[in-house]
Amino acid sequence: MLKSNFQGFIGAESDYKDANVVIYGAPFDSTTSFRPGARFGPAAIRNESFGIETYSPYQDKDLTDYNIFDYGDIELPFGDTRRSLDMIKEVSAEIIKDNKIPVLLGGEHLVTLAQVEALKDKYEDFYIIHFDAHCDLRQEYLGTELSHAAVIRRCFDLLGKDRIFQFGIRSGDRPEFEFSALGNTYMNKFNFDTLDDIVAKLKGKKVYFTIDLDVLDTSVFSGTGTPEAGGVTWLDLLDAIKKVCTLDIIGIDMVELAPMLDASGSSTALACKTLRELLLAIS
Amino acid sequence: MLKSNFQGFIGAESDYKDANVVIYGAPFDSTTSFRPGARFGPAAIRNESFGIETYSPYQDKDLTDYNIFDYGDIELPFGDTRRSLDMIKEVSAEIIKDNKIPVLLGGEHLVTLAQVEALKDKYEDFYIIHFDAHCDLRQEYLGTELSHAAVIRRCFDLLGKDRIFQFGIRSGDRPEFEFSALGNTYMNKFNFDTLDDIVAKLKGKKVYFTIDLDVLDTSVFSGTGTPEAGGVTWLDLLDAIKKVCTLDIIGIDMVELAPMLDASGSSTALACKTLRELLLAIS
Amino acid sequence: MLKSNFQGFIGAESDYKDANVVIYGAPFDSTTSFRPGARFGPAAIRNESFGIETYSPYQDKDLTDYNIFDYGDIELPFGDTRRSLDMIKEVSAEIIKDNKIPVLLGGEHLVTLAQVEALKDKYEDFYIIHFDAHCDLRQEYLGTELSHAAVIRRCFDLLGKDRIFQFGIRSGDRPEFEFSALGNTYMNKFNFDTLDDIVAKLKGKKVYFTIDLDVLDTSVFSGTGTPEAGGVTWLDLLDAIKKVCTLDIIGIDMVELAPMLDASGSSTALACKTLRELLLAIS
Amino acid sequence: MLKSNFQGFIGAESDYKDANVVIYGAPFDSTTSFRPGARFGPAAIRNESFGIETYSPYQDKDLTDYNIFDYGDIELPFGDTRRSLDMIKEVSAEIIKDNKIPVLLGGEHLVTLAQVEALKDKYEDFYIIHFDAHCDLRQEYLGTELSHAAVIRRCFDLLGKDRIFQFGIRSGDRPEFEFSALGNTYMNKFNFDTLDDIVAKLKGKKVYFTIDLDVLDTSVFSGTGTPEAGGVTWLDLLDAIKKVCTLDIIGIDMVELAPMLDASGSSTALACKTLRELLLAIS
Amino acid sequence: MLKSNFQGFIGAESDYKDANVVIYGAPFDSTTSFRPGARFGPAAIRNESFGIETYSPYQDKDLTDYNIFDYGDIELPFGDTRRSLDMIKEVSAEIIKDNKIPVLLGGEHLVTLAQVEALKDKYEDFYIIHFDAHCDLRQEYLGTELSHAAVIRRCFDLLGKDRIFQFGIRSGDRPEFEFSALGNTYMNKFNFDTLDDIVAKLKGKKVYFTIDLDVLDTSVFSGTGTPEAGGVTWLDLLDAIKKVCTLDIIGIDMVELAPMLDASGSSTALACKTLRELLLAIS
Amino acid sequence: MLKSNFQGFIGAESDYKDANVVIYGAPFDSTTSFRPGARFGPAAIRNESFGIETYSPYQDKDLTDYNIFDYGDIELPFGDTRRSLDMIKEVSAEIIKDNKIPVLLGGEHLVTLAQVEALKDKYEDFYIIHFDAHCDLRQEYLGTELSHAAVIRRCFDLLGKDRIFQFGIRSGDRPEFEFSALGNTYMNKFNFDTLDDIVAKLKGKKVYFTIDLDVLDTSVFSGTGTPEAGGVTWLDLLDAIKKVCTLDIIGIDMVELAPMLDASGSSTALACKTLRELLLAIS
């Protein structure tokens, strides 16, 4: 008797019960101000993952040796931002409750807020490491506080000062940079030069890890709504991921792949490979 | 001394005061459930209008003989649906107050609601002629009542029974078709076969005219979020526009061009030409 | 506890046991001589099916009222043509054995041969109705008999004379047209003008129905390896499908969507809608 | 010993001496005002011709039965319009001198002028049949008389009144239509409705045949610089070509394919097929 | 009363009278020999500039603090090269006369000549710093001296020996490199290694700065007619721009963005960001 | 009398007899498992070569100074893998017999096997230097031994241990890396760090050189079926090519350009330039 053979991310073949890590997608991009399309990110990562291998020569590990579950995507109400966030938060909360690490695939960066809220309900005390081209520290953007351009500011509202460490930042308006410079967040502009210090400092702490893939240079990652020249290479990012994942990671997200914007498929392939390395690094 | 030579839609060279017709754009697509991109519609129509002529051999009229003003686009807060609608309504209301005909360029179809609300504040009694591939009659969609898929239902909520005349419809869920079949709206599925009758019936009435360009067959209009095969030809649409515009038109919108989805530029060129014919037909 | 929510074709939500109709994909295009890419057809149809509705206003039926199972895609060895065909035949044979109607999604047209072979093992006596732009009647093509350009000739080898009825044909080399003109197959060039007669003639017979979507005009279906101008409209095709599906259909395939070749997504959307109409017409 | 196997248009395998018909390309688009790219037309037609057959079921003829030579493309100095035209004229003149029919592939429409000049040096008295979406009757365009938008006016300057018959025209400025309406050219707007009459009238006369492929509807031909909705179908064009080619054709051009603008390849495939039908119709 | 809200480059909000710097576009690409499309560059930079910020974290400056005027684009007669150059020269001359710095956006590289001619009418004595992948030193190209491939040679004809400093060059024919090696121009092949020395040497001199964006590696800038692998990174370019702009800059151009060739939009986004940095560096 | 002016790769203007180096194309991609399209590689390299120069400033050499013949492409039977390989082998063998260096353009990587077989018939004893992102060391892939993913393993079967030197490898399954680690091949993962040593070691030996262009980073080479982030730059590759070509090269291939996947044309332009440098380095 035939069974459907639909598949999730390559190598994510565990059932939910046995899984230590749970991947899920939030295909949301309604607050994107420039070019939408990040909603198609999670499906593209899943579909195109069969172009990569489960084995990583960078870490000499194989996804098939770990217990990873892929839930698929949440069906979200486009245009109703708060309700979308609540639905993401609900799934995240269930994963967290079951003591698994949630790995959220965006979608635009605002989805991070939902997962940070869910974690905040469980953990009093944690830190955020944030890789991005953009500050995302606006108080509001185009009149709304629930915006991709304000998501880290909203996390700041939840966690408070000295909790957020930003790397690779190279775009924002002047007040955002000033907000950080006042000591509200730690910001390593342009690259990862001080990452070693921060990782050393956060040893033993609980850490949430949010990666906006546009931290990468546009040369390797053009498939994103707001491409910013002058970013890091993929090998830089891989190295940074391995360092961060030596910490006590309580949740992860990887956001802002807009696959249709890079018709060559390279951006999607890179996102697949990055997810593999992330999953292996925390396993 | 140099003056900036930025230009609006070709031939729309009147200033506001003298204009009888006002074009404005609402680059909004946040509730789009399938493929976003209609936000880029109004700018594309404006930019690419220089590929067409101001003269129409179909109507033997020239845009340069009429007084048309192009306002440009409203800057909208993506992700905050109600506030976006309010901002559109405000611009529309000002145009209406000044006794000019507002021509709204979407954006997704939900923007229609804002202009219908603005008109409802002035006119007690008017009708809607609706060209579309989709019913847009859902009570709610993905849990929200403010959705592109529910926009005509929201107009129905405002105007009531026997006010809405739908043409070209070929997609929807069963309850939408049943809602219409109960007599709530008039629906001519698939084509314009009964348009003459309806135009005759509405002679002397005030009429709002909303054109979702996906009423066209995908062969000529693939640059749209939800393309539906089996639609009308452009010559069918032109003929229908000329008929409808013999009525007392109090406002118009033309929505759902998503220019990036048709890289050939043909869909945008068609939208430009359709707008020219619309403007000439009501002038 | 979370369950994966991966989904097949919209509305195909039956399990295998209860299903009357089984959809499965054969992502194969290795013999394609001009432009490959049909391998991505079945996945695209499945993924993009959420842009259409389960309800058809053309037939006033809804997919959710029927029992349809979607198996997903077979993983095939590219470059090993005969083994690929054998693997397709094996899945097809299981569906046929269980008295369900197999609906095969290509992939290139050669996949038809595998399903016809499987049916031939069960039914001594059946007919083929073939919609296509191309004859596909070559004895061999580029030195191989197992070619997309020879698939109907291979079916002829299995079924013999007077069994194959071709419609919409508008491309081939001269010997192919001569082969048909000798009475080996029935051929209605360019359109469906004589379909009524053939349907009348085949009443009560078992019929296999193979649709190469390039029978459609390139205006509505440019996402295919070998586009041929001068084809039928989608409404022509819909009408023809409804006629053919009044017969005793023992199997179906729909082939040659190459989704990446039509970046607008219109060809894929059309294929989804055509599959919906096919499924409803035989249910 | 190996010989290079580079090939021209499919089936054009004669050498120059034996040929009755000579194909050559003029990859020129420097005066294109909207979107360039027609320069890539001739190479695309040649390269993609292997996707069609040499046999036409429409005319039951095969290219391999005729003597056709493909010269390839002239290398032209972009930006020097007059010199480019002179180089085209020189090749055309040599073909004409040798009593072969020149078939010029554009490039933009201005290239027609060079071939008409070459023919005028040989034939005192001939007529032009012109298929196009655009009048091309401007006295000048953007300040220059050598423009794609003025090419038929330049031909008029050479041939005089009552010599030019235009079909399918649906775009131009008002003075162009007025120029024709004054009796300077014959114009059948929008379609081919009066072609039979004109063909009857020109029986026995020498005729030059210029086809701007944008006469076609954008649904089948989006790969062109200035797409105009509302055009003819390919079957309409085929029918018209067969009628015109019953006349005494002294030269042909087919222009304005810009292959990169239609990434699906359908426009190029259509141009290949149209060229095949043209070559067969005059052979 | 509504006013049109069309906008120029982000942050360029001064009126002409108060401006120190004037941006204007020359949408010209008629001599482009390989792939045209640079004509769309200036409009794309203007339209897409809303995807970047007015603030630069690289220079800690904000465009809104300076007086910059955006004139828009000149409407040029494609195909008439010399007249196009004269029209560009006229606008440039007016800006120069008013003691403002002209910032010319191409278009192809030949437009540089017009602005250099205009500057030469005012300044007897100035130098050119030239960033490019290509020498552009041909005496003629395809038979014409007014070619993108000859533009620096034409500047040399105007300014004479020892005036032109070329960086990043990695393509040309042998005579071009020999022409430079004879001491006619200074050439730093492949990169900016000796830029510090040249900047030191030119301190106090008037300098014209021309940037062909294809000096960048194709990894970050694929949206150009003649992409050349092996170029500099964007951070290299930024660093070089900051150095050059410490000199007495009398005019700038930035050319050869062909936005349609990079459908991801990354090349256009990079050009926007580069223009921002240029404007800030000279302010 | 006109002669056809079709041309091969730029500067490859020798006839066969005088040539030292022979370029030929094998447009084959039937075993490609992920994204096909490499079949279009050789034609694209030939067509687009006119966008580069014959002169290299990197090596100060010019193609026009050497005797290079371009055969064009072999017409291969898609879907019949072994027969395709035999046809490639036959052409290669003829070139080898005539003491010319064969330069094979793929197509997918499996074509390498045909040329290695041809060389093995002549030379008992030679080595392979292999640049690639992928190991290509599978014993079989999807059930077939003749697969692009197994091609170097098949070469190993022919040549035996200690004969194959792999560079740049960053993808494969675990058994492939283990197979190499057992000493069967030499593998320098990720980059060219040990190339100098290997070149020194192979001085005086006969060497076959196979370049899978996906060894390059996806930033410069996205036009390939299986893009892998983290690769080498083009300047790295150029440097490595110059080193390898100091050895006694008996044959070369360059494979896996899939030009349609990088619509910007940058990948194709890079392949053209790489081929130029390869040809100059061995001349």
Side-chain angles (χ1 to χ4, degrees), chain A residues 14-36:
Chain A
S14 169
D15 57 17
Y16 181 72
K17 200 164 52 76
D18 298 331
N20 307 114
V21 172
V22 175
I23 302 168
Y24 71 106
F28 181 81
D29 60 9
S30 291
T31 83
T32 299
S33 48
F34 194 47
R35 300 189 305 172

Side-chain angles (χ1 to χ4, degrees), chain F residues 104-148:
Chain F
L104 165 58
L105 304 179
E108 60 158 83
H109 210 160
L110 184 60
V111 299
T112 298
L113 179 58
Q115 184 147 288
V116 167
E117 290 175 347
L119 285 162
K120 185 66 183 165
D121 288 348
K122 174 159 184 178
Y123 301 105
E124 186 50 36
D125 193 31
F126 64 95
Y127 296 81
I128 292 177
I129 292 184
H130 171 221
F131 290 0
D132 204 332
H134 306 90
C135 299
D136 291 354
L137 289 173
R138 278 173 161 88
Q139 178 52 33
E140 58 156 45
Y141 188 61
L142 296 173
T144 175
E145 296 196 345
L146 289 180
S147 164
H148 68 102

Side-chain angles (χ1 to χ4, degrees), chain C residues 124-135:
Chain C
E124 186 49 36
D125 192 31
F126 64 95
Y127 296 81
I128 293 178
I129 291 182
H130 171 221
F131 290 179
D132 203 331
H134 306 90
C135 298

Side-chain angles (χ1 to χ4, degrees), chain B residues 175-215:
Chain B
E176 291 179 276
F177 284 96
E178 288 170 349
F179 178 80
S180 175
L182 286 171
N184 291 302
T185 71
Y186 174 88
M187 186 184 291
N188 182 343
K189 281 184 284 192
F190 310 132
N191 52 46
F192 299 126
D193 283 358
T194 62
L195 182 60
D196 284 331
D197 298 342
I198 299 303
V199 167
K201 181 171 163 174
L202 294 179
K203 269 283 166 307
K205 316 285 193 188
K206 297 200 180 313
V207 171
Y208 183 75
F209 189 12
T210 176
I211 301 175
D212 185 328
L213 287 165
D214 67 20
V215 72

